[in-house]
Amino acid sequence: MPKSKRAKVVHLSKTQKKGKELTLRLYANIQECIPKYPYIYVFSVHNMRNTYLKEVRTQLSDSRLFFGKTKVMAHALGHTSSTAPYAGTHLLTPHLHGSVGLLFSGRDPQSILSYFTTFAPSDYARAGTTASRTVTLPSGTLYSRGGEIPEEEDVPLAHSVEPQLRKLGVPTRLVKGRVVLESTEGGGFTVCREGEVLGSGQSTLLKMFGVAMAEFRVGIEAYYVRETGEVKVVRERGDAKVMGVDEMDDGDEAGSEEIEG
């Protein structure tokens, strides 16, 4: 008996992919921006957070920021002098690898470098981040900031989180409705030590106690000056060097690493 077409299940969460359409749009937008802006900056992101990247877009509203696939961005700028849409844009291609994006701006390099030097908001560290310092919870009644601030300025930890603390390996118990950390040999419970790579449990504990250990940072790797067709390297990455317009061999290609915008 044939299947009834009326009994077809439609998943509302299923969406159609727009990979090719987005790729073509990114390519076209980048090439469209080249003649409009005198400077093109290659920037890298450390401790990526979409919220802060949106903040950068807002504060640099007179500029255009692209954070898409590196292959597409490299193709739009050209791999060689013969495929570059403008003289020297291909010299940025060796810098397009890893977690990087393009910033098209009319602001001069001194202004952009100064802005990103001072823009470094703090956030909670994720698993895989290297701990910047040692964090230890003191024995006795646990407070919401875990000893980070004086007790008189803090409030006791809510009793409802005590089961979660035990699941994360913290030796706690409830005493008259308060969460108490049992005394250990070291006099407290060490959440993490400086220099070690954080696990998911450690990052969860740091967030619970309000310890922000990660910094969102944007670094300028290199920039292109359309007037001269030159690329200035701000920070060396691998074998990339400062080159003139015609110093790059035709066989040089961009890295193949891809990231999502």
Side-chain angles (χ1 to χ4, degrees):
M1 184 175 176
K3 269 188 177 181
S4 171
K5 292 184 179 180
R6 295 179 181 177
K8 190 178 287 185
V9 178
V10 178
H11 297 283
L12 297 178
S13 60
K14 189 175 182 180
T15 57
Q16 291 184 340
K17 292 184 178 180
K18 297 182 180 179
K20 190 173 182 179
E21 180 185 335
L22 291 176
T23 296
L24 293 174
R25 189 189 307 166
L26 175 62
Y27 177 87
N29 286 341
I30 288 175
Q31 289 213 324
E32 184 183 327
C33 284
I34 296 174
K36 292 182 178 180
Y37 297 91
Y39 302 100
I40 307 175
Y41 301 88
V42 175
F43 65 89
S44 59
V45 180
H46 182 62
N47 287 319
M48 174 63 183
R49 301 290 189 275
N50 284 329
T51 303
Y52 298 133
L53 196 61
K54 287 178 181 177
E55 189 176 336
V56 170
R57 289 179 187 272
T58 302
Q59 294 185 11
L60 299 180
S61 57
D62 57 343
S63 306
R64 287 292 301 276
L65 187 149
F66 297 96
F67 197 70
K69 293 183 177 180
T70 52
K71 272 186 177 180
V72 179
M73 294 191 294
H75 191 53
L77 294 177
H79 292 291
T80 65
S81 57
S82 59
T83 59
Y86 275 76
T89 57
H90 66 291
L91 301 176
L92 283 177
T93 299
H95 303 277
L96 293 176
H97 59 89
S99 185
V100 298
L102 291 175
L103 175 67
F104 291 79
S105 181
R107 303 191 188 191
D108 60 81
Q110 185 177 357
S111 173
I112 291 295
L113 290 170
S114 175
Y115 169 73
F116 284 122
T117 299
T118 56
F119 186 77
S122 297
D123 207 331
Y124 298 114
R126 296 173 178 172
T129 304
T130 302
S132 59
R133 62 187 179 91
T134 299
V135 176
T136 302
L137 302 176
S139 300
T141 301
L142 278 180
Y143 287 79
S144 62
R145 292 299 307 277
E148 292 288 302
I149 60 176
E151 290 183 4
E152 57 270 20
E153 299 176 15
D154 208 346
V155 293
L157 199 64
H159 65 85
S160 57
V161 302
E162 196 273 335
Q164 186 180 1
L165 287 172
R166 278 189 281 110
K167 283 183 180 178
L168 292 170
V170 185
T172 58
R173 58 192 176 93
L174 282 175
V175 178
K176 296 180 180 180
R178 292 202 170 189
V179 182
V180 175
L181 177 65
E182 296 179 350
S183 182
T184 60
E185 189 177 334
F189 179 82
T190 301
V191 177
C192 63
R193 299 185 186 280
E194 183 180 355
E196 74 174 344
V197 177
L198 298 175
S200 58
Q202 291 170 305
S203 60
T204 300
L205 284 172
L206 291 173
K207 188 173 182 178
M208 285 177 66
F209 289 99
V211 180
M213 202 174 278
E215 253 188 4
F216 172 86
R217 279 196 173 274
V218 174
I220 299 298
E221 305 296 330
Y223 62 89
Y224 165 81
V225 183
R226 196 184 69 228
E227 185 179 357
T228 61
E230 294 178 339
V231 166
K232 302 293 183 182
V233 177
V234 178
R235 185 169 64 177
E236 294 284 352
R237 300 183 77 198
D239 296 328
K241 298 177 182 178
V242 180
M243 294 176 284
V245 174
D246 295 314
E247 288 180 44
M248 193 175 197
D249 293 332
D250 289 345
D252 288 342
E253 294 182 355
S256 59
E257 198 170 344
E258 297 181 10
I259 55 177
E260 295 179 0

